[in-house]
Amino acid sequence: MKKILLLFTLIFSSLTISAQYTEIINSKRPGFSESPYGVGTDVIQVEGGVFFGKSNSNETFAKTDPVGGTLFIRYGKFLEKLEINAKVTYQKNKLEFNNILTSSRNIKGISELTVGAKYLIYQQEFADKSKEIRSWKKRTAFDKKRLIPSVGVYLGVNTNFLGKDYKEDKLSPKGAILLQNDFSDRLVLLTNLIADKIGTDNRYYAYILTMTYAMNQRWSIFVENEGDFYKYKNDFQIGTGAAYLYSNDLQFDASIRANTNSDESAFVVGLGASWRFDRHQDKQIETDENGNKIKPKKRKRRGGFFSRLFKKKRP
């Protein structure tokens, strides 16, 4: 137990230093929200999964019973605070026509293909209270800075390379503000404010709130609330799930979601994994006793816990 507490202290004592790269994989799964932090330079990350669900709807035209898979590719290059990413979703739905007579048919194809980038604008930093030895009260007091989130922005484009049953009229932009509050070393709140398919008849605005808690070195759980606001209707859903850290570069996850709409009932189960190809390197500059530089040295960073919650900073 003492060794575990010591490891946590070593990780969190470095939070006052700025960087994006984390010791272990930083996945957005299994939640739908995104952190303002990227994967770090010279890192390729692949996050994928399958989903299947059952649903009923009273809408005239309704897409129900979704089955499919999602692939999210993230790449860090050029700038530490910049991430380039792409998302593709292939799915199958039952398309229902509900009128005097009810009819249905199956549709399938690529339903989403989005490319974009996100950038960390502001990173909140916290004091290292482990060095406070004179006052137990000050060492354990809540840091009010944790109420101010780190801030990132996302800009992307919804392409039109979709299946004929999901085809859009034209390309459309997507934008989001990404916020992250680290309320404690284990408890994190992600808030996303989204504007999607801007300039089209299908445009909508959304929010996603995700609370994540790390139970131990391997397991974390989350709860999530999402609201989508369309021109003629609003959709709300809640979700929960868990992630298991198998290694520094591999994570598995599972989740379940249900909507809270009065005219529709639906639940969706998801299973997935995230894998990281890590070639990130930090330059470490050694100095002598007088503070003079000796020589630069490259060091690959290893070790750590759930990076979505615990972000170790560069030395």
Side-chain angles (χ1 to χ4, degrees):
M1 184 62 182
K2 290 183 179 180
K3 292 182 179 180
I4 294 176
L5 291 175
L6 177 59
L7 287 172
F8 272 95
T9 301
L10 291 174
I11 287 178
F12 301 131
S13 64
S14 61
L15 287 175
T16 57
I17 306 172
S18 176
Q20 285 246 99
Y21 176 78
T22 52
E23 299 270 340
I24 54 113
I25 189 168
N26 171 21
S27 176
K28 65 170 288 184
R29 293 187 61 91
F32 286 168
S33 61
E34 283 202 49
S35 165
Y37 296 93
V39 293
T41 54
D42 297 319
V43 173
I44 299 175
Q45 191 161 306
V46 180
E47 306 173 11
V50 296
F51 58 87
F52 47 93
K54 297 291 293 183
S55 58
N56 293 300
S57 176
N58 296 325
E59 295 181 2
T60 303
F61 292 96
K63 295 177 183 178
T64 60
D65 299 347
V67 178
T70 298
L71 184 65
F72 189 50
I73 301 174
R74 307 168 64 184
Y75 179 53
K77 194 66 177 178
F78 310 119
L79 298 173
E80 186 73 19
K81 296 182 178 182
L82 177 67
E83 175 188 299
I84 302 169
N85 52 54
K87 181 181 180 182
V88 59
T89 301
Y90 181 92
Q91 71 182 71
K92 176 182 177 182
N93 289 93
K94 180 186 292 185
L95 181 62
E96 295 183 344
F97 175 70
N98 299 314
N99 206 325
I100 299 175
L101 297 176
T102 299
S103 61
S104 65
R105 65 183 180 91
N106 292 327
I107 59 174
K108 59 183 178 180
I110 297 176
S111 61
E112 179 183 14
L113 180 53
T114 305
V115 294
K118 67 177 177 180
Y119 185 80
L120 179 68
I121 295 177
Y122 171 74
Q123 178 177 325
Q124 181 59 278
E125 297 179 355
F126 312 115
D128 182 8
K129 292 187 177 182
S130 64
K131 297 179 181 179
E132 175 60 59
I133 60 175
R134 295 185 178 182
S135 172
W136 177 87
K137 184 176 181 180
K138 289 183 179 180
R139 188 169 64 251
T140 58
F142 178 75
D143 189 348
K144 293 182 180 179
K145 286 185 178 181
R146 293 183 179 273
L147 298 175
I148 302 175
S150 298
V151 182
V153 293
Y154 169 87
L155 293 175
V157 176
N158 298 298
T159 73
N160 204 24
F161 302 109
L162 307 177
K164 63 179 182 178
D165 295 317
Y166 301 93
K167 206 81 170 176
E168 299 285 347
D169 293 334
K170 58 182 179 180
L171 302 179
S172 61
K174 177 180 180 180
I177 298 174
L178 315 175
L179 309 175
Q180 176 170 322
N181 291 91
D182 295 78
F183 291 130
S184 73
D185 294 337
R186 297 191 179 200
L187 185 65
V188 169
L189 173 66
L190 295 178
T191 304
N192 291 180
L193 304 175
I194 304 165
D196 202 356
K197 299 185 179 180
I198 303 168
T200 71
D201 292 336
N202 296 323
R203 66 184 180 276
Y204 70 94
Y205 304 94
Y207 72 83
I208 307 177
L209 300 173
T210 308
M211 186 71 76
T212 309
Y213 179 73
M215 296 184 294
N216 52 42
Q217 300 178 43
R218 295 293 178 181
W219 288 96
S220 69
I221 56 176
F222 84 99
V223 291
E224 187 170 86
N225 173 239
E226 179 179 358
D228 300 328
F229 303 91
Y230 295 86
K231 187 175 182 179
Y232 299 108
K233 68 171 185 175
N234 299 327
D235 287 335
F236 299 94
Q237 63 174 264
I238 57 175
T240 187
Y244 175 73
L245 184 66
Y246 181 80
S247 68
N248 286 353
D249 300 316
L250 180 61
Q251 172 190 293
F252 297 102
D253 63 77
S255 63
I256 184 169
R257 301 175 183 276
N259 68 17
T260 58
N261 305 329
S262 59
D263 61 344
E264 183 181 16
S265 62
F267 76 90
V268 178
V269 175
L271 300 171
S274 303
W275 173 77
R276 180 175 72 168
F277 181 74
D278 184 7
R279 286 295 178 265
H280 180 84
Q281 290 183 330
D282 286 335
K283 287 185 177 180
Q284 182 178 358
I285 299 176
E286 296 182 357
T287 59
D288 58 22
E289 59 184 6
N290 296 320
N292 299 318
K293 182 173 67 173
I294 299 176
K295 62 178 180 178
K297 181 181 178 182
K298 286 190 174 182
R299 176 177 64 90
K300 185 173 180 181
R301 308 181 69 170
R302 299 182 181 275
F305 305 130
F306 282 100
S307 58
R308 181 165 188 173
L309 304 178
F310 314 139
K311 300 200 178 303
K312 185 169 183 179
K313 312 308 175 183
R314 279 189 180 180

